Amino acid sequence: MKKIIKEINHEYEPGVGAEINSFMTYQKENINDYQLSFNENEEYFSLTITLANLNKMAVKQLFFQLMLFIEYSHATFYTFNQVAGEISYEVTSYNIDKKGFLLKIKFSSLN
């Protein structure tokens, strides 16, 4: 995946952040809180989502709903990692012109 990331233009695109914020606004019953930022040095979006309980199936469903909402048309790749108290994804998605985004998502619980 690192090779793919190097080959695409994933500089800041305000529309991606706006779409993520829009999606998260409609997830208030599923999440407790979220924070979205953009790392300008490494050119990736960072999304931290806090849930009441860290349920793997609920996280997976929320992740794929978000991807359907924001992914680009040509390709989407992601990695998944689960450690005690945290589930994370790293996603890259891009169009045929190799313009896209890199998104790092971290799910955690209040408990």
Side-chain angles (χ1 to χ4, degrees), residues 48-87:
T48 304
I49 302 170
T50 306
L51 307 169
N53 295 307
L54 196 61
N55 175 295
K56 185 176 177 180
M57 290 306 294
V59 167
K60 189 174 185 177
Q61 182 177 4
L62 185 61
F63 171 76
F64 283 114
Q65 287 173 342
L66 175 61
M67 288 305 97
L68 287 172
F69 196 73
I70 67 168
E71 71 183 343
Y72 280 40
S73 60
H74 187 67
T76 300
F77 298 95
Y78 70 90
T79 60
F80 166 85
N81 189 33
Q82 183 173 4
V83 295
E86 184 179 293
I87 296 174

Side-chain angles (χ1 to χ4, degrees), residues 2 15 20 75 78 82 94-95 102-103 107:
K2 290 181 183 199
I20 293 170
Y78 70 90
Q82 183 173 4
Y94 56 94
N95 63 21
L102 176 59
L103 172 62
F107 292 90

Side-chain angles (χ1 to χ4, degrees), residues 17-35:
E19 287 181 355
I20 293 170
N21 279 318
S22 177
F23 176 83
M24 297 307 292
T25 299
Y26 292 100
Q27 299 301 316
K28 294 296 183 185
E29 70 267 4
N30 299 324
I31 66 169
N32 283 60
D33 192 26
Y34 79 95
Q35 293 186 337

Side-chain angles (χ1 to χ4, degrees), residues 1-10 77 79 90 92 94 98 102:
M1 190 158 126
K2 290 181 183 199
K3 182 181 177 190
I4 294 168
I5 291 169
K6 287 180 181 180
E7 294 177 359
I8 67 165
N9 174 0
H10 53 89
F77 298 95
T79 60
E90 188 170 319
T92 188
Y94 56 94
K98 294 197 175 185
L102 176 59

